[in-house]
Amino acid sequence: MANEERKDGERQPEAQDQPLSGLLNKPVSRRDVLKMAGIGGAGLLLGAAGVGAIFKEGLFAGASSAAKPAAKEAAGDIVEFYGAHQAGIATPSPNFILFAAFDVVGTSLDSVRALFKAWTAAAASMTRGEPVGEESGNDHLPPTDTGESAGLSPSRTTITFGVGPSFFDHRFGLAGKKPAALVDFPAFGGDELRPEWTGGDIGVQVCSDDMQVAFHAIRNLSRIGRGKVVLRWTQEGFQRTGAADPKGATPRNLLGFKDGTANPDTDDDSVMNRVVWAQSADGAGWMAGGTYMAVRRIRMRVEVWDRSTLADQEQTFGRHRASGAPLGGKDEFDEVNLEAKDASGKPLIPMNSHVRLARGDGSAQILRRSYSYSSGMDNKTGQLDAGLLFICFNRDSRKQFIPMQQKLGQSDLLNEYIVHNGSAHFACFPGVRQGGYIGDTLF
Amino acid sequence: MANEERKDGERQPEAQDQPLSGLLNKPVSRRDVLKMAGIGGAGLLLGAAGVGAIFKEGLFAGASSAAKPAAKEAAGDIVEFYGAHQAGIATPSPNFILFAAFDVVGTSLDSVRALFKAWTAAAASMTRGEPVGEESGNDHLPPTDTGESAGLSPSRTTITFGVGPSFFDHRFGLAGKKPAALVDFPAFGGDELRPEWTGGDIGVQVCSDDMQVAFHAIRNLSRIGRGKVVLRWTQEGFQRTGAADPKGATPRNLLGFKDGTANPDTDDDSVMNRVVWAQSADGAGWMAGGTYMAVRRIRMRVEVWDRSTLADQEQTFGRHRASGAPLGGKDEFDEVNLEAKDASGKPLIPMNSHVRLARGDGSAQILRRSYSYSSGMDNKTGQLDAGLLFICFNRDSRKQFIPMQQKLGQSDLLNEYIVHNGSAHFACFPGVRQGGYIGDTLF
Ligand code: HEM
Ligand code: HEM
C-alpha cells in the first residue's frame, strides 16, 4: 500500500501534446491511448467501450478486431477533469451521485498535501474511465484498482473536491486562510440534523451516469486515503436516467414536481461569475474560480404529501405539477409573476409558497444541482427514507444560501412535508491546471 | 382514498383485441393508446417517450407534433406483466432494483384479496409506463398517481410478488395451503441477521432500468396498501448500466469479479422446469409455475478485501478476476474443471473456494439474479455499507438454496470478506392471466 500511495502521489498528469503519429509508430500502452483520447479521434471510442474494453477486446487487441464503435455515447462521455473550474458544478448533471464526507486523521499538512496529490492523479484517471494505478502483474500484491468498473465507459463521471469549516481549525496551521464565507451554518428553522449526515473536513462529490462507476470512485479514493482520512458520511442519489427520458426534460423530484426550472444559466459567464464563482476581490485569493457548496439531506414525508390534494401541492410550490408552469402561467418556462392575483385579490403564487420565498426579490440566486435519494426505511417511523440530496453552489453562502434557507426554514409551506436531517458546507477549490493538484492554491 | 382503492381493485386488465381502426376513428384516450401499444405499432413510441409524453407532447397532442420516435429503446422497453410466469424471474435483469417487504395489518383475507387485486391493476399499468389510476381532474383530491415518473419510459420495469412463511400463520386461515418448501430458513454459519432487513409477510421485487421508475412503483404500491399493509424493510440495488457497457458483458460485483457466469439457461424450458418453476407434482398445486425466492442482504467488507492480494482473491472465488475464467481456464465460459491440479498435486480450484462449494456435485442449482447495493455507511464500523443484495429463485429451497448456503456458511473462503445481515424467503406466485389477479390461485 505504501508503495502504491507513493506512486500515485508523485504521478504527474499526462501531457497531451504528443503527436498522434509518434504514438502509432511504437507499441501502444494503455497510457498512450489515453493521450490519444485527449487529442480527439480515439475519444469517440472511449465512450462506447471504456479504455479497458478497447484494450482487451478492441482496437489494440492485435488479431482480434471486435471493437464496435458505438459513436452515439461517445463525445459527451468524458468530462475533462482539468480546467479553470472543477467539473461537477457548471457541467450538466449525470444521472447518479455518490457524495462522501471525510475527516482527516492526524495533524500533518504534508500528509494532507500528499493525499490531495494522489487523489488528483486517481481522479484524473477515473474520470477518463482508466483504472487507478498501473497493475504490477504480481498477484501477490493487492490489485491497485478494485476492478468493479473494468470495461465500463467513463460515464461523464466528475469528481469535485471541497473542504469544510473544520478543516481550518488548529490542526494544519491553515486558520489564517479560512475564507470568511466558509462559516458554520446557523441553525435553521425546522432543522433536525443528525450527526451521521452532517459536517466533514473534506467533501467529495462524485457524479456519474453509472452508479457502479460512482461507487468505484469513492471506494478507491477512500482506499488511497487509508490512514490519512476516514469516511464520515456518504449518500447516494439519482435522477431519472437519460434513457428513460431521451428528450431531457427537467427531472422531477420525488414529490412529482419538475425541479431545476429556474436555475441560473451555466453557459452565461457573467451570470456564473456573479452567482457561483468566487472572485479574487472576495478575499481568500486561493478560492478565486472556486465556489461554496451547501449540502442538505432533506427527507420528504412522502406518505403525508401523497394524502394532500393537488391544489395544496401546487400552492405549496407555487407551480403546476403537470407542466411545471408557475401558477397563473401555462408553460414551464413562463415568467414567474409574483404580482398576479386571482379574482378575489389573492396572490396566485401564495406568499409562503416555496418558489416565492426562494426567489425573494430576485437579488440572491444559487445554482441548484440536487439529486433524489431513496435509502431504505427510517426505522423510527416505519416510513420510506427518501427525499432530496439538496446541493447548491454559490459565490458567498452568507449572502445567498444562508438568508434563503433562513426564510424557507421559517415560513415555507413545504416544511409540512420535509425535514432537513443532514447538512454540510464546503469551499470547493478552483479547477486544477494540468500539472497541478487539487487544492494547490491553498497548500 | 377509499374511492381510489375501490376503483383500482375492480378495474379489469385491458382487453387487447380492439382493432386499431376502431381506435383511430374516435377521440383517443390515454387508455386507448395503451391498448394500441399492446397491439404493436404504437409500442415503438412508448419506449422513447413514455405514455405521458406522447399525450402531452407527441402523437396525440393535436397541433403540436414534437414527437421524436427514438425507436432504438423501444421494442424491449416494456416487459409484459401478464403471462404463465411472473416477470422479473427468468426475464433479463434491468439495471436497478427496489425490493420491499411488507407486513399485513389485521386478519382479513378479504382485505388481502382486495389489495392484491388493486396491486394487479396498478402493477400492470406501471410496468407499461402508465400512471396509477385515472386522474379525476378535481384538484381538491389527492392525485391518484404520485407523478414522479410522468414522461418516463416503461424502462423494462417488472414487479414480482411473493408471500413469506409468516403469511401462512393463523391470521388468514391459509395455514393448510402453506407449501412444504416455504420453510423458515435455518440459521446459517456466520449469519448476523438484523431485524431491519429480515422477513416479511409479502415480498415485492421491482426491477427497472430507471431508479426513479422503480421508486415510483414501490411508493404507489405502498400507498395503495395503506391501512392494509405496512412496509417492513426495503433495499435498493444496482448493476452497471447498459449504456456504460453496451456489449452487455457479465456484470461485476463490488468485489470486482464477474457475477452470474455459471447461471442456468433461462431460455431452456427443461432447465427452468427442473431448477426454477414449481411443478404441480411438487404439492401446493397453487404454486405450479411459481418459484421460491431467497433474498439475502450480504454486506461486503470491502476495506478488508481491498487489502488482500490478487492471488487470495482469485483463490477465494476459484476464478480469475480480469477474465472471469475458472482457475486453470482461459475464458469466462470455459468449463469449470474441479479435477485440475497444479504441479504439486494441489487442486487449481481450492477445496473451499466459493465456486467449488456452490457447485458441489452439480446436482443442485439455483437461478441467481442479484444486485449490488451501496447504502451509505455502517455507523458501527465507520465503513461503507455496500455489498450484494443476493436474490435467487429455485423450485424447492429445501433441496437447492438451503443446502448450498449451509455449505457456504460453513466453509466458504469468501466468509472472511462478507457478512449476511438480512434474509427473507418468499413463495412467488405463478404468473397472472389476463383477467386474473396476483395470487388468485391461492385465494
Ligand atoms: C426537499 C426540498 C426541496 C424541494 C422538493 C424543492 C423543490 C423545488 C421546486 C419544485 C421548485 C420549482 C421549480 C424550479 O424552479 O426548480 C423549486 C425552486 C427553487 N428552490 Fe427548491 N426545493 C427544495 C429545497 C430547497 C432549498 C433548501 C433551497 C435553498 C435554500 C431551495 C431553493 C430554490 C430556489 C432558489 C428555487 C427557484 C425559485 C425561483 O427563482 O423561481 N429549494 N424548488
Ligand atoms: C456477497 C456474496 C457473494 C458473492 C460476492 C458471490 C460471487 C460469486 C462469483 C464471483 C461467482 C463466480 C461467477 C459466476 O458463476 O457467477 C459465483 C458463483 C456462484 N455463486 Fe456466488 N456469490 C455470493 C453469494 C452466494 C450465495 C449466498 C450463494 C447461494 C447460497 C451463491 C451461489 C453461487 C453459485 C451456485 C455459483 C455458481 C457456481 C458454479 O456452478 O460454478 N453465491 N458467486
Side-chain angles (χ1 to χ4, degrees):
Chain A
M1 289 299 295
N3 234 341
E4 189 193 330
E5 278 168 14
R6 208 185 51 240
K7 203 173 66 199
D8 271 311
E10 289 169 8
R11 212 166 76 200
Q12 291 302 317
E14 298 308 313
Q16 299 219 341
D17 48 10
Q18 186 166 356
L20 190 62
S21 59
L23 291 168
L24 291 179
N25 289 339
K26 48 174 195 150
V28 181
S29 76
R30 175 181 289 266
R31 226 9 93 78
D32 291 331
V33 171
L34 293 167
K35 289 181 189 156
M36 291 165 63
I39 291 165
L44 269 176
L45 279 158
L46 288 175
V51 174
I54 288 183
F55 266 87
K56 283 194 221 93
E57 302 154 307
L59 257 191
F60 300 97
S64 145
S65 61
K68 293 187 206 143
K72 189 182 153 284
E73 304 295 332
D77 203 24
I78 293 183
V79 179
E80 184 54 45
F81 177 73
Y82 296 102
H85 306 292
Q86 287 195 76
I89 298 166
T91 50
S93 52
N95 299 327
F96 300 95
I97 188 170
L98 182 43
F99 175 83
F102 292 91
D103 284 335
V104 180
V105 176
T107 59
S108 154
L109 181 59
D110 280 347
S111 154
V112 171
R113 195 184 289 113
L115 174 63
F116 274 96
K117 284 184 182 171
W119 274 358
T120 303
S125 298
M126 292 191 290
T127 52
R128 286 163 172 262
E130 189 192 5
V132 172
E134 213 142 5
E135 298 299 345
S136 60
N138 177 351
D139 71 357
H140 292 288
L141 291 177
T144 60
D145 186 278
T146 57
E148 70 271 31
S149 71
L152 301 183
S153 84
S155 304
R156 297 196 298 172
T157 302
T158 59
I159 310 183
T160 314
F161 297 85
V163 282
S166 57
F167 190 78
F168 295 90
D169 62 14
H170 60 285
R171 284 172 294 168
F172 313 111
L174 293 173
K177 294 209 171 173
K178 183 177 179 180
L182 189 63
V183 295
D184 283 311
F185 286 147
F188 296 111
D191 273 5
E192 293 184 20
L193 304 185
R194 298 208 199 154
E196 64 261 40
W197 297 305
T198 297
D201 290 339
I202 301 175
V204 182
Q205 170 196 264
V206 176
C207 298
S208 176
D209 278 332
D210 193 278
M211 189 63 211
Q212 184 137 343
V213 172
F215 181 85
H216 172 261
I218 287 295
R219 186 232 201 120
N220 281 275
L221 293 178
S222 141
R223 187 183 179 214
I224 291 169
R226 201 156 59 83
K228 294 181 174 156
V229 288
V230 292
L231 278 170
R232 183 182 172 103
W233 61 281
T234 66
Q235 179 63 52
E236 299 80 10
F238 61 92
Q239 47 169 318
R240 53 92 185 102
T241 57
D245 178 21
K247 287 192 196 150
T250 309
R252 292 178 185 274
N253 60 37
L254 297 184
L255 300 183
F257 278 67
K258 296 192 178 188
D259 201 329
T261 306
N263 234 359
D265 180 359
T266 51
D267 291 330
D268 185 331
D269 283 348
S270 78
V271 170
M272 291 299 282
N273 282 325
R274 182 166 49 79
V275 175
V276 175
W277 305 125
Q279 307 290 318
S280 21
D282 296 349
W286 63 269
M287 271 295 287
T291 180
Y292 298 89
M293 178 193 205
V295 184
R296 307 281 291 180
R297 187 185 193 273
I298 309 179
R299 198 163 85 73
M300 293 171 173
R301 307 189 211 269
V302 292
E303 289 86 351
V304 180
W305 178 258
D306 289 350
R307 276 177 270 169
S308 65
T309 68
L310 180 59
D312 275 349
Q313 297 184 358
E314 297 189 332
Q315 298 276 313
T316 298
F317 282 114
R319 286 187 177 267
H320 288 293
R321 186 174 86 149
S323 62
L327 297 184
K330 289 196 75 162
D331 291 318
E332 180 185 355
F333 294 101
D334 281 354
E335 202 42 58
V336 175
N337 179 357
L338 297 177
E339 309 304 321
K341 307 229 154 49
D342 69 11
S344 71
K346 255 192 11 205
L348 281 178
I349 299 182
M351 296 310 289
N352 288 336
S353 65
H354 181 69
V355 157
R356 181 187 286 269
L357 290 176
R359 175 163 295 223
D361 65 3
S363 63
Q365 291 178 283
I366 56 175
L367 177 66
R368 289 169 292 143
R369 206 167 177 283
S370 310
Y371 286 84
S372 296
Y373 77 83
S374 168
S375 294
M377 280 175 50
D378 183 333
N379 289 315
K380 283 199 201 143
T381 61
Q383 304 196 317
L384 291 169
D385 183 5
L388 193 72
L389 182 62
F390 172 90
I391 292 180
C392 79
F393 298 98
N394 57 189
R395 181 172 160 189
D396 187 336
S397 304
R398 291 169 303 172
K399 301 181 185 155
Q400 297 162 273
F401 170 75
I402 292 174
M404 199 180 271
Q405 179 54 25
Q406 274 168 330
K407 250 190 304 172
L408 292 175
Q410 201 153 47
S411 328
D412 193 353
L413 289 171
L414 187 57
N415 293 340
E416 200 177 324
Y417 308 105
I418 62 172
V419 49
H420 290 237
N421 55 26
S423 177
H425 192 194
F426 299 101
C428 294
F429 302 109
V432 186
R433 290 158 300 103
Q434 293 273 354
Y437 64 92
I438 302 153
D440 55 6
T441 57
L442 170 63
F443 299 122
Chain B
M1 289 300 296
N3 234 342
E4 189 192 329
E5 279 169 12
R6 205 183 57 237
K7 201 172 67 198
D8 271 310
E10 289 169 6
R11 211 166 77 199
Q12 293 301 316
E14 298 308 312
Q16 299 218 339
D17 49 11
Q18 186 167 356
L20 189 62
S21 59
L23 291 170
L24 291 180
N25 289 337
K26 47 174 194 147
V28 180
S29 77
R30 176 180 289 264
R31 224 12 94 73
D32 291 332
V33 171
L34 293 166
K35 289 180 187 156
M36 291 165 61
I39 292 165
L44 271 177
L45 280 158
L46 288 176
V51 175
I54 287 183
F55 266 86
K56 283 194 220 94
E57 302 154 308
L59 258 190
F60 299 100
S64 143
S65 62
K68 293 189 206 143
K72 190 183 152 281
E73 305 293 332
D77 202 24
I78 293 183
V79 180
E80 184 54 47
F81 177 73
Y82 296 102
H85 306 293
Q86 287 195 77
I89 298 165
T91 50
S93 52
N95 299 328
F96 301 95
I97 188 171
L98 183 42
F99 175 83
F102 291 91
D103 284 337
V104 181
V105 176
T107 60
S108 154
L109 181 58
D110 281 345
S111 154
V112 172
R113 196 184 287 113
L115 174 63
F116 275 95
K117 284 184 181 171
W119 274 359
T120 303
S125 298
M126 292 191 291
T127 52
R128 286 165 172 260
E130 190 193 3
V132 172
E134 212 143 6
E135 297 300 346
S136 60
N138 178 350
D139 72 356
H140 291 288
L141 291 177
T144 60
D145 186 277
T146 56
E148 70 271 31
S149 71
L152 302 183
S153 85
S155 304
R156 296 197 297 171
T157 302
T158 59
I159 311 183
T160 314
F161 297 86
V163 282
S166 56
F167 190 78
F168 295 90
D169 63 14
H170 60 284
R171 283 172 294 168
F172 313 111
L174 293 173
K177 295 209 170 174
K178 183 176 179 182
L182 188 64
V183 295
D184 283 311
F185 286 146
F188 297 110
D191 273 4
E192 293 184 21
L193 304 186
R194 298 209 200 154
E196 64 260 39
W197 297 306
T198 297
D201 290 340
I202 300 174
V204 182
Q205 170 195 265
V206 176
C207 298
S208 176
D209 279 331
D210 191 278
M211 189 63 212
Q212 183 138 343
V213 171
F215 181 85
H216 172 261
I218 287 296
R219 185 231 202 121
N220 281 275
L221 293 178
S222 143
R223 186 182 178 214
I224 291 169
R226 201 156 58 84
K228 295 181 171 153
V229 288
V230 291
L231 277 170
R232 184 183 171 101
W233 61 283
T234 65
Q235 180 64 53
E236 300 79 11
F238 61 92
Q239 47 171 316
R240 53 91 185 101
T241 57
D245 179 22
K247 288 193 195 147
T250 309
R252 292 178 185 274
N253 60 38
L254 298 184
L255 300 182
F257 278 68
K258 297 190 178 189
D259 200 330
T261 306
N263 234 359
D265 179 359
T266 52
D267 290 331
D268 184 330
D269 284 347
S270 78
V271 171
M272 290 299 282
N273 282 326
R274 181 167 49 79
V275 175
V276 175
W277 305 127
Q279 307 289 320
S280 22
D282 297 348
W286 64 268
M287 270 294 288
T291 181
Y292 298 89
M293 177 193 206
V295 184
R296 306 282 291 180
R297 187 184 192 275
I298 309 178
R299 198 163 85 73
M300 294 171 172
R301 306 188 211 269
V302 292
E303 289 86 351
V304 181
W305 178 258
D306 289 349
R307 275 177 273 170
S308 65
T309 68
L310 180 59
D312 276 349
Q313 297 184 356
E314 298 190 331
Q315 299 275 313
T316 298
F317 283 114
R319 285 187 178 266
H320 287 292
R321 187 175 86 150
S323 63
L327 297 183
K330 288 196 75 161
D331 291 318
E332 179 185 355
F333 294 101
D334 281 354
E335 202 41 60
V336 175
N337 180 357
L338 297 176
E339 309 303 321
K341 307 229 156 45
D342 69 11
S344 70
K346 254 191 13 203
L348 280 178
I349 298 182
M351 297 310 288
N352 288 335
S353 64
H354 181 70
V355 157
R356 181 187 287 268
L357 291 176
R359 175 164 295 222
D361 65 3
S363 63
Q365 290 178 282
I366 55 175
L367 178 67
R368 288 169 291 143
R369 205 168 179 281
S370 310
Y371 286 84
S372 295
Y373 78 83
S374 168
S375 295
M377 280 175 51
D378 183 333
N379 290 315
K380 282 198 201 145
T381 61
Q383 302 196 319
L384 291 169
D385 182 8
L388 193 72
L389 182 62
F390 173 89
I391 292 181
C392 79
F393 298 98
N394 56 189
R395 180 173 161 189
D396 188 335
S397 305
R398 291 168 304 173
K399 302 181 184 154
Q400 297 162 270
F401 170 76
I402 293 173
M404 198 179 272
Q405 178 54 25
Q406 275 168 330
K407 249 190 306 172
L408 292 175
Q410 202 152 48
S411 328
D412 193 352
L413 288 172
L414 187 56
N415 294 340
E416 202 177 328
Y417 307 104
I418 62 172
V419 50
H420 290 238
N421 55 26
S423 176
H425 191 194
F426 300 102
C428 294
F429 303 110
V432 186
R433 290 158 299 102
Q434 292 274 355
Y437 65 92
I438 302 151
D440 56 6
T441 57
L442 169 62
F443 299 123

